[in-house]
């Protein structure tokens, strides 16, 4: 009978543990309070009542790399005292070692059997069942994973590691018996010397005379080196090691071999691993949902990425999953999708503060040294360490490299120069990191750690031809974005730390769709860099570096007219492939001609607009040829000062109510008005009829 009072006390205790875990996680992890709340709320029932669960609880965590998915799950497991019942599988690594996943999964059988456990399936995007072309992958490596996600149960063949050894042992024992050796109660009782010689030759086992005198191990038909292997092969056949020995020590020769055959049969029998009361975290990075993940530029705004990531929802995640997994597999993941946002600038700054505080505390605890940090150091760590789409890892590495790794030298300097009573302030210096030793708030010594700041060097204005070209190119994109689609870039850079780009214009439209009427302006914006170079430098002096813009413009229009129904024919067009009839083929090149025509119109629009706005183009490019960036407010000021035939008030910052809803509501009002008008006419006709 259930002790209700004890049960109430247990539930109350677990609820308190969950509450403390929630609080601790929010203290230790920055920028993911909402994620933590969702995770803790989601596991509440599992943690309190795992025994009522018939299938494992599956929680999916999706996000960019380095946002703390794996760390959060591991820390949560520790806070719930599940360290010994926590199993982590990296499916990215498992892909490299085909049998490793199966072997690691089999380890669960040794430790669990229907009890609550926590499983983490990391880098889950690598378990894909569809290739990049959408065709099914014939691969059984992850079958065990899908069984686990479906019912929480899967079958394994446990103990295969020692089967070969026991098979070989059985062959040796048969040879002993064929040589006339007899066995009783597990001991050799005849031709003992022949047995010893053969065992030494076949098994390489020799007992010293001293061993033989002290025990009867020298006469054992099965040497003690095999006991553990046999027990691991068939743990359910024996209650304990003592029970196993007891059973073998009752056998004669044939009986021993018969019992070993039963052990091997048991080892090969499939065994069910029951994780139905388990909690499974599926974790991964989905580039198809987090489209910004491919941008590795350290100069892109972290806040812009953060806001963009907040638009990702469960339907978008499922759409991204469809590019990697079959529908039946997506269904097994369930509907519990928790989506990590990209970290904002404030979150990165909090991480810097948290890491510096932890470092200062350790220095004080271990060495009694008081550390403080100048604000310019925090700014340096952000500018050198933050790559918005790469999460915390680059930043933590930078903090260690620039600050934490210097502590040994600082302590040594304090001993050498008798500065142990000083506090130490780390600050950024033009040539590296400066440790300033303070006594009574006065500087009494300094130590400079020379350091080349790679990103700072890359961001430095060059004021050369390359910066001038980039200034003109990016100004073209920015001006066309503002004039043609009323969108001001967040930032325009003519110098960037990104190795594959000289600059960029960060353009983010306030609406999430592309209308047919926008196709030519959007292509014009993409071709704006090329056209700006043509307007300012002349056609003979346009430069390389336009390939990506041209490719994106071409892809935009071909996708629109071949897949999105925005061309002259509403159909899906693809290249002709044997055995595939799901698309039409542009065999007469009609769509290609249509695309070329629209691209030409876009280029003409871009050039015409930039010539009209040449004064604005010159002023913006001139500024960017000397300075590395223009922020949004400064761009708006340039538009106010120099844009021709352009109303700054037409700029769009909220794209939720631009056209479609207003147009629909106007149509509704128009129809209601028409209906009322017809109703009045009908009533008039009826009245006239009655009057006659």
């Amino acid at each position: 009978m259930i002790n209700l009072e004890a049960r109430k006390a247990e539930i109350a205790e677990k609820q308190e543990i969950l509450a403390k875990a929630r609080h601790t996680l929010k203290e230790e992890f920055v920028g993911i309070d909402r994620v933590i709340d969702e995770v803790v709320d989601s596991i509440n029932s599992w943690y309190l009542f795992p025994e009522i669960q018939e299938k494992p609880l599956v929680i999916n965590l999706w996000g960019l790399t380095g946002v703390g998915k794996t760390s959060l799950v591991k820390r949560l497991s520790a806070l719930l005292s599940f360290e010994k019942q926590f199993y982590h599988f990296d499916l990215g690594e498992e892909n490299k070692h085909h049998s490793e996943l199966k072997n690691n999964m089999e380890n669960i059988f040794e430790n669990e059997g229907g009890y609550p456990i926590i499983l983490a399936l990391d880098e889950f995007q690598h378990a894909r069942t569809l290739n990049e072309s959408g065709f099914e992958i014939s691969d059984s490596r992850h079958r065990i994973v899908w069984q686990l996600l479906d019912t929480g149960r899967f079958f394994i063949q446990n103990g295969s590691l020692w089967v070969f050894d026991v098979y070989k042992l059985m062959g040796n024992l048969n040879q002993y018996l064929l040589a006339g050796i007899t066995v009783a109660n597990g001991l050799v009782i005849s031709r003992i010397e022949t047995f010893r010689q053969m065992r030494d030759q076949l098994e390489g086992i020799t007992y010293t005379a001293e061993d033989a005198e002290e025990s009867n191990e020298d006469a054992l038909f099965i040497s003690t080196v095999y006991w553990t292997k046999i027990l691991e092969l068939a743990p359910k056949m024996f209650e304990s090691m003592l029970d196993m020995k007891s059973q073998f020590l009752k056998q004669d020769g044939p009986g021993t071999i018969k019992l070993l055959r039963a052990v091997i049969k048991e080892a090969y029998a499939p065994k069910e691993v029951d994780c139905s009361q388990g909690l499974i975290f599926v974790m991964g990075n989905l580039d198809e949902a987090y489209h910004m993940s491919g941008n590795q530029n350290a100069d892109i705004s972290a806040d812009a990425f953060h806001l963009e990531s907040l638009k990702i929802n469960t339907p978008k995640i499922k759409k991204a999953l469809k590019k990697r997994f079959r529908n039946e597999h997506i269904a097994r993941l369930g509907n519990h999708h928790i989506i990590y946002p990209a970290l904002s600038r404030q979150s990165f700054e909090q991480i810097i503060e948290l890491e510096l505080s932890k470092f200062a505390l350790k220095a004080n605890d271990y060495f009694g040294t008081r550390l403080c940090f100048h604000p310019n150091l925090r700014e340096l760590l952000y500018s050198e360490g933050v790559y918005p789409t790469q999460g915390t890892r680059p930043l933590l590495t930078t903090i260690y490299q620039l600050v934490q790794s210097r502590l040994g030298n600082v302590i040594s300097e304090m001993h050498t120069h008798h500065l142990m009573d000083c506090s130490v302030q780390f600050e950024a210096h033009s040539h590296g990191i400066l440790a300033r030793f303070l006594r009574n708030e006065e500087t009494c010594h300094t130590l400079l750690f020379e350091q080349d700041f790679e990103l700072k060097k890359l961001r430095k204005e060059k004021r050369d031809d390359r910066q001038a070209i980039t200034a003109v190119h990016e100004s073209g994109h920015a001006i066309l974005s503002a004039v043609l689609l009323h969108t001001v870039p967040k930032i325009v850079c003519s110098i960037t730390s990104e190795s594959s780009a000289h600059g960029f214009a960060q353009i983010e439209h306030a609406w999430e769709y592309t209308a047919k009427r926008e196709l030519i302006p959007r292509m014009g914006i993409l071709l704006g860099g090329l056209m700006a170079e043509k307007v300012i430098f002349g056609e003979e002096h346009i430069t390389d570096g336009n390939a990506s813009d041209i490719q994106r413009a071409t892809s935009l229009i071909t996708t629109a007219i071949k897949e999105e129904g925005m061309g002259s024919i509403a159909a899906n067009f693809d290249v002709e492939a044997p055995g595939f009839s799901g698309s039409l083929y542009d065999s007469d090149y009609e769509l290609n001609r249509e695309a070329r025509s629209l691209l030409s119109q876009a280029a003409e629009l871009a050039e015409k607009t930039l010539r009209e706005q040449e004064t604005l183009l010159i002023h913006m490019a001139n500024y960017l040829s000397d300075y590395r960036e223009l922020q949004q407010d400064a761009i708006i000021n340039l538009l106010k000062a120099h844009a021709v035939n352009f109303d700054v008030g037409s700029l769009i910052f909220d794209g939720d109510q631009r056209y479609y809803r207003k147009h629909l509501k106007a149509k509704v009002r128009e129809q209601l008005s028409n209906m009322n008008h017809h109703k009045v006419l009908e009533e008039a006709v009826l009245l006239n009829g009655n009057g006659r």
Side-chain angles (χ1 to χ4, degrees):
M1 185 173 177
I2 298 174
N3 186 327
L4 292 180
E5 291 303 316
R7 189 64 170 137
K8 285 180 183 177
E10 179 190 353
I11 292 172
E13 181 183 2
K14 284 187 171 183
Q15 287 176 327
E16 186 177 350
I17 291 171
L18 272 179
K20 287 181 178 178
R22 187 194 303 264
H23 178 73
T24 301
L25 291 172
K26 288 184 178 181
E27 283 188 332
E28 296 179 356
F29 291 86
V30 172
I32 56 170
D33 282 5
R34 179 186 57 79
V35 169
I36 291 168
D37 283 334
E38 286 190 61
V39 169
V40 174
D41 290 342
S42 299
I43 69 170
N44 187 285
S45 179
W46 167 82
Y47 185 58
L48 297 179
F49 317 108
E51 64 277 2
I52 67 173
Q53 211 169 258
E54 295 181 357
K55 294 177 65 175
L57 172 62
V58 179
I59 298 176
N60 302 275
L61 303 180
W62 307 108
L64 294 166
T65 184
V67 292
K69 301 183 294 293
T70 306
S71 301
L72 178 69
V73 171
K74 287 182 177 178
R75 185 67 177 121
L76 175 64
S77 300
L79 292 171
L80 300 183
S81 300
F82 265 75
E83 298 102 317
K84 293 182 179 179
Q85 297 107 317
F86 175 73
Y87 300 90
H88 177 263
F89 304 101
D90 186 330
L91 300 189
E93 286 299 315
E94 309 291 2
N95 267 358
K96 300 173 186 175
H97 311 286
H98 294 194
S99 62
E100 191 170 327
L101 175 63
K102 181 175 178 293
N103 292 339
N104 288 339
M105 283 286 189
E106 288 178 355
N107 288 337
I108 301 174
F109 179 77
E110 297 294 332
N111 299 285
E112 303 300 331
Y115 302 109
I117 61 173
I118 299 178
L119 298 168
L121 304 178
D122 212 346
E123 299 294 334
F124 195 81
Q125 70 274 12
H126 294 295
R128 65 187 309 157
T129 54
L130 299 176
N131 63 21
E132 288 81 356
S133 301
F135 295 108
E136 187 175 336
I137 297 172
S138 299
D139 189 347
S140 61
R141 278 177 291 177
H142 298 118
R143 186 175 299 161
I144 196 170
V145 171
W146 297 110
Q147 291 174 352
L148 180 67
L149 290 170
D150 189 24
T151 63
R153 294 176 168 86
F154 58 92
F155 288 90
I156 60 170
Q157 288 182 334
N158 188 51
S160 58
L161 183 63
W162 305 122
V163 167
F164 177 77
D165 288 355
V166 175
Y167 258 129
K168 188 175 179 182
L169 171 64
M170 286 173 54
N172 295 338
L173 298 184
N174 271 315
Q175 290 196 49
Y176 302 150
L177 297 179
L178 289 173
I181 293 165
T182 55
V183 179
N185 296 321
L187 298 173
V188 176
I189 58 173
S190 71
R191 306 198 67 185
I192 187 77
E193 285 302 323
T194 302
F195 170 68
R196 288 170 178 164
Q197 290 172 9
M198 291 182 68
R199 182 180 59 193
D200 184 29
Q201 180 182 355
L202 294 174
E203 301 179 47
I205 297 175
T206 305
Y207 287 92
T208 65
E210 198 174 301
D211 290 333
E213 287 176 6
E214 290 179 357
S215 69
N216 63 356
E217 285 193 16
D218 192 32
L220 284 171
F221 194 41
I222 296 180
S223 300
T224 55
V225 295
Y226 294 102
W227 293 134
T228 302
K229 296 178 181 180
I230 293 169
L231 185 61
E232 286 189 17
L233 280 175
K236 290 190 175 181
M237 281 183 61
F238 311 104
E239 294 179 2
S240 63
M241 176 69 78
L242 186 63
D243 176 51
M244 185 198 71
K245 288 182 179 179
S246 174
Q247 290 196 41
F248 274 101
L249 289 176
K250 294 176 182 176
Q251 306 298 327
D252 58 10
T256 300
I257 293 173
K258 182 179 180 181
L259 188 54
L260 285 176
R261 283 203 185 97
V263 167
I264 290 175
K265 184 177 180 181
E266 172 67 17
Y268 272 127
K271 296 172 180 62
E272 185 181 70
V273 179
D274 182 3
C275 301
S276 58
Q277 293 184 17
L279 167 62
I280 302 176
F281 284 102
V282 170
M283 301 177 287
N285 313 322
L286 286 176
D287 293 347
E288 294 86 350
Y290 291 83
H291 61 85
M292 71 286 285
S293 64
N295 192 332
Q296 305 300 319
N297 197 328
D299 296 320
I300 292 290
S301 165
D303 287 335
F305 273 142
H306 172 73
L307 292 174
E308 190 70 17
S309 70
L310 295 179
K311 299 175 184 177
I312 300 170
N313 52 29
T314 297
K316 287 186 177 180
I317 289 293
K318 290 205 170 191
K319 184 178 179 181
L321 289 170
K322 286 186 71 173
K323 295 181 181 297
R324 291 176 177 266
F325 302 99
R326 299 204 305 269
N327 282 335
E328 65 181 273
H329 293 134
I330 297 172
R332 294 186 191 188
L333 295 175
N335 277 341
H336 221 119
H337 297 277
I338 297 176
I339 302 162
Y340 275 69
L343 295 174
S344 65
R345 181 182 179 97
Q346 182 182 24
S347 295
F348 281 117
E349 289 173 343
Q350 288 178 328
I351 290 167
I352 291 171
E353 198 62 44
L354 183 64
E355 290 301 310
L356 292 179
S357 297
K358 289 194 296 186
F359 176 52
L361 187 62
K362 286 182 179 179
N364 191 51
D365 288 345
Y366 284 101
F367 305 105
T369 303
R370 289 166 289 123
L371 301 182
C372 57
F373 309 96
H374 194 281
N376 69 10
L377 178 72
R378 295 173 173 84
E379 184 59 38
L380 174 69
L381 292 173
Y382 185 94
S383 63
E384 287 290 312
V386 171
Y387 288 76
T389 61
Q390 294 183 17
T392 61
R393 293 188 186 103
L395 177 58
L396 297 178
T397 302
T398 301
I399 293 171
Y400 177 81
Q401 177 193 3
L402 297 186
V403 183
Q404 295 173 347
S405 64
R406 314 298 189 187
L407 184 59
N409 297 92
V410 167
I411 299 299
S412 177
E413 192 82 358
M414 294 177 82
H415 282 293
T416 302
H417 296 275
H418 308 290
L419 302 167
M420 294 306 295
D421 61 328
C422 291
S423 62
V424 181
Q425 176 174 280
F426 284 93
E427 56 189 72
H429 186 275
S430 57
H431 297 295
I433 302 295
L434 183 70
R436 189 183 298 277
F437 298 83
L438 303 171
R439 184 179 287 130
N440 298 324
E441 299 186 2
E442 296 292 329
T443 302
C444 57
H445 187 71
T446 59
L447 176 62
L448 177 64
F449 299 99
E450 292 190 4
Q451 177 81 41
D452 284 333
F453 300 122
E454 185 177 359
L455 296 187
K456 184 178 180 182
K457 187 187 298 182
L458 291 171
R459 290 176 176 132
K460 186 174 177 61
E461 287 91 355
K462 310 297 190 299
R463 299 186 177 177
D464 57 6
D465 274 1
R466 171 50 69 186
Q467 187 172 355
I469 294 167
T470 307
V472 169
H473 185 103
E474 300 304 337
S475 294
H477 290 309
I479 291 169
L480 290 172
S481 174
V483 174
L484 298 181
L485 286 181
H486 307 280
T487 300
V488 184
K490 302 287 186 184
I491 184 175
V492 181
C493 282
S494 59
I495 295 288
T496 178
S497 58
E498 171 62 32
S499 61
S500 62
H502 300 292
F504 64 89
Q506 189 172 341
I507 300 169
E508 297 169 11
H509 299 294
W511 57 99
E512 297 181 31
Y513 51 83
T514 299
K516 185 174 181 177
R517 63 186 292 272
E518 297 173 11
L519 289 176
I520 290 177
R522 281 182 183 261
M523 287 189 292
I525 294 168
L526 289 168
L527 298 174
L530 174 65
M531 292 300 122
E533 290 184 36
K534 180 179 179 181
V535 168
I536 296 299
F537 301 127
E539 187 165 5
E540 295 299 316
H541 295 283
I542 61 174
T543 63
D544 59 353
N546 294 290
S548 175
D549 292 338
I550 293 171
Q551 190 277 328
R552 288 172 62 198
T554 306
S555 177
L556 171 65
I557 193 58
T558 53
T559 300
I561 65 177
K562 291 186 176 183
E563 298 178 23
E564 302 290 352
M566 294 189 188
S568 56
I569 304 173
N572 181 269
F573 288 82
D574 203 346
V575 294
E576 189 169 0
F580 181 67
S581 58
S583 300
L584 298 178
Y585 314 118
D586 189 22
S587 54
D588 56 1
Y589 301 104
E590 181 180 344
L591 293 183
N592 278 4
R593 286 191 291 272
E594 187 176 346
R596 289 176 64 168
S597 173
L598 292 171
L599 278 166
S600 294
Q601 292 177 52
E604 290 171 9
L605 175 64
E607 183 177 354
K608 177 184 175 183
T609 305
L610 289 174
R611 290 198 183 279
E612 183 181 20
Q613 304 294 343
E614 188 169 356
T615 300
L616 172 61
L617 175 60
I618 289 171
H619 279 81
M620 185 180 293
N622 181 51
Y623 181 89
L624 286 169
S625 69
D626 292 331
Y627 304 98
R628 67 179 299 267
E629 67 181 34
L630 265 173
Q631 298 285 345
Q632 190 175 67
D633 289 345
I635 298 171
I636 293 173
N637 288 334
L638 282 170
L639 287 166
K640 288 178 180 177
H642 303 292
V644 177
N645 298 324
F646 179 74
D647 178 12
V648 175
S650 69
L651 293 173
I652 299 171
F653 297 97
D654 180 359
D656 291 336
Q657 302 284 342
R658 293 180 61 229
Y659 168 78
Y660 291 96
R661 181 176 175 81
K662 292 177 183 176
H663 186 73
L664 172 63
K665 295 303 180 184
K667 285 287 186 183
V668 171
R669 288 192 296 271
E670 180 184 342
Q671 188 167 36
L672 288 173
S673 176
N674 290 337
M675 290 172 63
N676 290 334
H677 179 66
H678 287 306
K679 188 175 181 181
V680 169
L681 289 176
E682 288 173 1
E683 290 176 351
V685 169
L686 288 172
L687 285 171
N688 289 335
N690 291 337
R692 283 197 300 269

